[in-house]
Structure formats: structure tokens, C-alpha cells
Amino acid sequence: MHIAEGVLSLPVLAGCAALSAGCVAMGVRRLDETRMPLAALLGAAFMVASTLHMPVGVGSVHLILNGLAGLLLGWAVFPLFFVALLLQAALFSFGGFTVLGANLLIMAMPALLCHLLLAPALRGEPSRRRLLLVGAGCGVLGVGGATVLAALLLNLSGGRLFDHLVGMLVLSHAPVFVVDALISALALNLLWRMLPDMTRELCP
């Protein structure tokens, strides 16, 4: 899910950088004190999960957990993921600095979509089944959205040149859909049971 440097075209890089900068600025304004502790926790989980790569064929895949973070933080995932991706690029050479904007959009846009589409389902007193379904939806939508965005950016940069990479990207992340959805479902259910008031405030 980390697109490497030298893959995307200059217009795509510039467009992603500009859009990401605006989204980070929006996210900083939405990151209030009530979200800080949870943002730190989710940021650490995102960083660890996306740092542990599992080899698949000629490439590798990793968990993302972006959907769960987006569900609970909304726009605040943009500055959160920006810091995590920046550290990964600096410390582990994952992705890179020139593609930071593109990788941020890939991770954070589906996360924000989870908040917009799934957070309303948590209003009131959701049942355990609903919590698990929303959590699983975060995993599917987060990973699926990231895969689609990565494929789109590759296609915009190389046309049919990257067709084989797009196919490999989708197939290799099929297991991630399942694992990410399962972890997100269990984590949301646990978080709601342990900290119901805080979680309810984050999903108005």
C-alpha cells in the first residue's frame, strides 16, 4: 500500500500533495483535546500494523487499520497518518518523501469515508452485533478504498503500463480484507464496552 518513489507521474504527485496539504490543515483544526489520547493510540496501532510486512509473491502486504481510525477520528486522521507516514519514510524507507501526499490520500481518504458512512450507525445504544458489523465494515471499506485509490493513482500515472501491478495489488490484499475487518470489529466492540461515553462523543 506504500507507493514507492519514482512510480507516479509529476502531475499526479503535485495534485496529491496539494490535496493532502489542504486535508491536513482541515484535520488539524478538528483535532481537539478530547481526541488526542485516542489519536495517539490509533496512530501507534496504525504505525505498527503497517510496518509489519508479510511477503506475498514478489511483494508484501500489511495490515492498515485505517478504517477504524477514521471512524473514530474523522478529519483528524489526516494529520495523524501524515506523521506516521513521515516517520515510516524517514526511519524505514517505506514509501518516500515525494510520494507522501499520495500515500496519505490512499490511507486517509477511505478512513474519512468510514466516518461519514458508518459513524451514524453508532448513534444511540448500538447492539453488539451492530458494533461488530460496523467494525468489520471499517476493515473492508478502509482496505478496499485504499486499494482502489492506489490502483487509480497507478493508472493515472502509467495508463496500461501498470495494469499487471494493479491486478497484483488487488489479489495480494484479499487476505488483508478479512484480517483487518476482524481486528477492527473486535477492537470497536471492546472500545465501546470499555469507554462508551468517549466513543459515543467521537461518533455523533
Side-chain angles (χ1 to χ4, degrees):
M1 224 39 102
H2 291 84
I3 294 182
E5 291 181 323
V7 175
L8 300 179
S9 64
L10 184 58
V12 171
L13 289 174
C16 288
L19 183 56
S20 294
C23 291
V24 169
M26 178 72 74
V28 168
R29 288 191 293 178
R30 302 289 183 91
L31 188 57
D32 53 37
E33 291 184 0
T34 61
R35 286 178 165 83
M36 284 293 186
L38 185 60
L41 176 63
L42 293 172
F46 169 80
M47 179 131 180
V48 172
S50 57
T51 300
L52 302 176
H53 287 230
M54 297 167 285
V56 175
V58 297
S60 63
V61 299
H62 58 79
L63 294 175
I64 306 177
L65 303 179
N66 59 332
L68 180 62
L71 175 74
L72 299 175
L73 298 177
W75 281 96
V77 295
F78 281 95
L80 177 71
F81 286 177
F82 174 77
V83 173
L85 291 171
L86 182 63
L87 290 175
Q88 287 180 347
L91 300 177
F92 307 110
S93 298
F94 292 159
F97 297 106
T98 62
V99 290
L100 190 57
N103 284 329
L104 178 58
L105 290 182
I106 290 171
M107 301 292 183
M109 276 297 187
L112 177 61
L113 191 61
C114 287
H115 180 77
L116 297 176
L117 296 181
L118 299 178
L122 298 179
R123 290 171 181 164
E125 294 295 333
S127 63
R128 184 172 183 271
R129 179 183 179 185
R130 184 183 298 181
L131 287 170
L132 292 174
L133 287 175
V134 170
C138 286
V140 173
L141 190 57
V143 176
T147 304
V148 170
L149 276 179
L152 176 62
L153 294 182
L154 288 172
N155 188 266
L156 290 175
S157 294
R160 300 190 63 83
L161 179 64
F162 292 127
D163 279 354
H164 65 291
L165 289 178
V166 171
M168 289 177 58
L169 179 70
V170 174
L171 290 176
S172 64
H173 279 82
V176 182
F177 278 85
V178 179
V179 180
D180 209 294
L182 178 61
I183 293 177
S184 297
L186 295 177
L188 178 62
N189 181 67
L190 179 63
L191 187 62
W192 193 278
R193 298 307 176 193
M194 293 180 63
L195 301 168
D197 294 334
M198 183 190 71
T199 314
R200 191 177 292 108
E201 289 179 5
L202 297 175
C203 301

